[in-house]
Amino acid sequence: MKPLPMIRLNEDLLREKEAKFCSHGDTVHYSPVPKFFQGCEGSFLYDREDKPYLDLQMWYSAVNFGYRNKSIIDAVKAQLDQLPQLACQYLHEEKVLVAEKLATECLRAFGLEGRVQFNVGGAQAIEDSMKLVRNATGKTLFMAFTGGYHGRTLGASEITSSYRYRRRFGHFSNRAHFVPFPYCYRCPYGKKLDTCEYYCVNQVERLFETEYNSFWDSKANESEFVAFYVEPVQATGGYIIPPPEYFSRLKNILNERKILLVDDEIQMGFFRTGKFWAIENFGVKPNIVVFGKAMTNGLNPISGLWAEEPLISPQKFPPGSTHSTFASNPLGTAAALATLQWIEQQNYEEKVAASGAYFLRQLEALKQRHATIGDVSGLGLALRIEVTRPDRFTPDKALADRIFEAGLAGGIPTSRGPMGLVLDIGGHYKNVFTLAPSLDITREEIDLGIELLDKLFSS
Ligand SMILES: Cc1ncc(COP(=O)(O)O)c(C=O)c1O
């Protein structure tokens, strides 16, 4: 059941108050006039007039299991009645059980024993992972990908490739060394996958070839760089899926050079790509896994990381190494536990593969009908539409922005009545619709999404 709208103030008055009292610094404000929403259910958002919008982005993949998922909401309500508040220095059952479930998932996926610790948002958990690496290695230099996004705290901004996130704030620590992401549709080296023989990985290997490349001391047998931060499918960068052997080849180099692999699953974890962890698609074992967003289906801000035992044992990483008042807050752990229990009941591996394949087939047909769609691809229900000029290559950000705004304006005539469409734009050229629908999206809702996209690309 969708809740009744709770309109209190008229929109003009709210906008006046927003203009006066709200900082814009904590949002991305893509639209010139950001939209108010009033309700949500399943795959849909509802505006202040109760008009529906199909959401194909689900709060940057935080709401993988549908808006107002009843099982998860009921668990939070029960926690509100039982133990809504507790300082993190004391224990509560949900915290222990969430840690056990996530550590068990890592043991299943990677065959490694480890531990889980919590924080509040994705970037904060990334910061914690940086502390783990620094603590274990005594070194501070990291590698990461161009187009990567790991958050906007000062530390996370150093491994996020955009200078835009650092320009006005200066450097907090050491900016990462950024390696080109294997973006085959726009290969940074101008190669083709069928003939390149993973030239991009070979370029990484070359960094360590001689001491003059400044990464490796062959006398000490030591690398100056001690961790590589990766998103298995590059998220904000445009849902870019690397070629099948990329990560296994990269991992061989990292093993040889004793460089830790930190796997940022904040956007792609929890079955977005059809596997519990997105990195499982590529058959490599990370040393640290960082997660957030869909961990509570977006219900409560809690994030965390798993690390293999030698990095995170209490002897190595003792109490007080990190802490936040709200780190393992009981509403968050209750929501996370309910989310993990929900996942256990669903068989998402099969479901996401099937829905993703169906969605991708429809997107491929859509691409045939519109010359301004340069590329579509997907892994599970992480799907992408690259918006281009009719040459199917030159990025067209302006067209992507127009379609985004027209979707948000709502009232598009469809077979199910007037409807809006919620999209998100990412990509190295800000011309990619990064589609992250509910993992429970129905075939009818996928068809509706295609109908809406068809209309918007035609107008
Ligand atoms: C891959 C990835 N890492 C880190 C973050 C930062 O998470 P948060 O916004 O919760 O700080 C995000 C957020 O979009 C993300 O997609």
Side-chain angles (χ1 to χ4, degrees):
M1 268 290 288
K2 193 158 66 67
L4 291 173
M6 298 188 306
I7 309 265
R8 295 184 201 96
L9 297 179
N10 84 41
E11 194 163 315
D12 290 343
L13 184 55
L14 276 177
R15 287 201 185 280
E16 256 176 54
K17 289 177 186 289
E18 194 269 346
K20 184 164 167 51
F21 297 117
C22 292
S23 162
H24 292 188
D26 61 353
T27 80
V28 285
H29 269 255
Y30 269 137
S31 294
V33 185
K35 185 118 198 146
F36 278 100
F37 283 104
Q38 191 77 32
C40 59
E41 183 75 26
S43 289
F44 294 89
L45 287 174
Y46 295 84
D47 68 14
R48 286 168 62 83
E49 290 159 13
D50 211 23
K51 292 183 184 148
Y53 295 71
L54 177 68
D55 192 337
L56 290 184
Q57 231 288 324
M58 302 303 283
W59 197 359
Y60 323 127
S61 193
V63 193
N64 282 3
F65 313 108
Y67 285 117
R68 301 182 70 246
N69 180 310
K70 190 170 171 348
S71 304
I72 305 168
I73 283 187
D74 285 349
V76 174
K77 284 183 179 163
Q79 192 75 26
L80 267 173
D81 289 336
Q82 177 70 33
L83 179 72
Q85 293 119 326
L86 184 71
C88 297
Q89 76 191 81
Y90 309 115
L91 290 174
H92 63 285
E93 182 169 316
E94 291 75 15
K95 168 184 173 167
V96 178
L97 295 182
V98 171
E100 181 196 25
K101 279 190 188 298
L102 291 169
T104 305
E105 281 303 333
C106 289
L107 181 63
R108 173 197 58 74
F110 314 125
L112 297 170
E113 303 274 356
R115 291 167 192 264
V116 168
Q117 67 164 45
F118 299 102
N119 209 320
V120 185
Q124 289 91 326
I126 289 284
E127 300 268 337
D128 290 352
S129 73
M130 292 171 143
K131 280 192 170 180
L132 272 171
V133 173
R134 285 170 170 234
N135 181 61
T137 64
K139 294 188 180 180
T140 57
L141 293 191
F142 304 140
M143 299 170 80
F145 283 120
T146 52
Y149 182 85
H150 301 284
R152 296 197 204 201
T153 52
L154 283 168
S157 299
E158 302 285 9
I159 54 168
T160 292
S161 72
S162 309
Y163 171 47
R164 184 162 71 86
Y165 301 139
R166 291 183 292 275
R167 185 178 60 81
R168 290 173 296 123
F169 311 110
H171 284 267
F172 172 67
S173 65
N174 304 295
R175 175 190 181 280
H177 176 84
F178 295 106
V179 166
F181 193 78
Y183 183 5
C184 298
Y185 175 67
R186 300 185 186 279
C187 175
Y189 299 104
K191 308 257 179 211
K192 295 274 174 246
L193 183 59
D194 43 0
T195 51
C196 72
E197 295 177 357
Y198 287 83
Y199 179 85
C200 51
V201 188
N202 299 338
Q203 291 304 105
V204 178
E205 195 158 26
R206 285 198 58 215
L207 295 173
F208 299 92
E209 211 172 69
T210 83
E211 70 174 76
Y212 300 103
N213 291 345
S214 77
F215 277 66
W216 184 247
D217 180 342
S218 54
K219 292 201 171 119
N221 211 24
E222 253 184 43
S223 169
E224 196 170 15
F225 289 77
V226 285
F228 199 134
Y229 277 76
V230 309
E231 294 165 83
V233 169
Q234 198 167 73
T236 306
Y239 282 24
I240 308 170
I241 303 155
E245 290 174 38
Y246 182 86
F247 277 116
S248 53
R249 289 176 182 239
L250 180 70
K251 184 71 167 93
N252 288 341
I253 300 170
L254 302 185
N255 285 349
E256 201 182 326
R257 306 299 172 178
K258 292 178 283 188
I259 295 173
L260 299 170
L261 179 66
V262 184
D263 172 22
D264 181 345
E265 295 274 349
I266 290 167
Q267 193 157 158
M268 290 293 154
F270 304 101
F271 281 104
R272 169 57 54 205
T273 66
K275 303 278 186 201
F276 194 100
W277 305 119
I279 197 88
E280 289 183 69
N281 290 290
F282 305 105
V284 300
K285 298 178 186 195
N287 304 95
I288 298 175
V289 179
V290 189
F291 38 81
K293 291 194 198 280
M295 179 179 176
T296 61
N297 200 33
L299 251 196
N300 189 287
I302 189 167
S303 61
L305 62 78
W306 167 93
E308 56 178 338
E309 186 67 11
L311 298 175
I312 203 174
S313 70
Q315 295 72 34
K316 191 81 189 173
F317 208 61
S321 298
T322 70
H323 179 259
S324 162
T325 301
F326 293 114
S328 52
N329 71 86
L331 292 182
T333 54
L337 185 59
T339 303
L340 295 170
Q341 285 165 340
W342 168 264
I343 288 173
E344 281 164 9
Q345 292 155 13
Q346 302 300 319
N347 194 6
Y348 278 121
E349 187 148 354
E350 228 171 72
K351 189 171 181 178
V352 171
S355 309
Y358 179 78
F359 207 146
L360 186 55
R361 279 199 302 280
Q362 308 301 315
L363 288 176
E364 275 157 359
L366 187 75
K367 176 181 156 188
Q368 296 312 315
R369 296 196 290 279
H370 299 278
T372 49
I373 298 181
D375 186 43
V376 296
S377 59
L379 186 62
L381 280 167
L383 300 142
R384 72 195 304 272
I385 302 174
E386 182 126 5
V387 183
T388 63
R389 301 247 177 91
D391 63 4
R392 293 198 189 273
F393 192 72
T394 312
D396 195 340
K397 176 183 180 303
L399 177 59
D401 286 346
R402 278 203 302 280
I403 291 174
F404 172 86
E405 288 295 340
L408 272 186
I412 303 156
T414 72
S415 48
R416 283 178 57 168
M419 183 71 59
L421 182 64
V422 178
L423 296 167
D424 195 28
I425 298 177
H428 293 209
Y429 300 87
K430 292 282 172 265
N431 68 319
V432 178
F433 292 128
T434 51
L435 305 184
S438 162
L439 302 188
D440 295 307
I441 192 168
T442 63
R443 297 289 155 107
E444 292 72 31
E445 287 165 353
I446 294 174
D447 293 345
L448 177 64
I450 296 292
E451 188 184 344
L452 284 159
L453 286 164
D454 214 354
K455 290 227 157 96
L456 291 169
F457 271 96
S458 303
S459 58

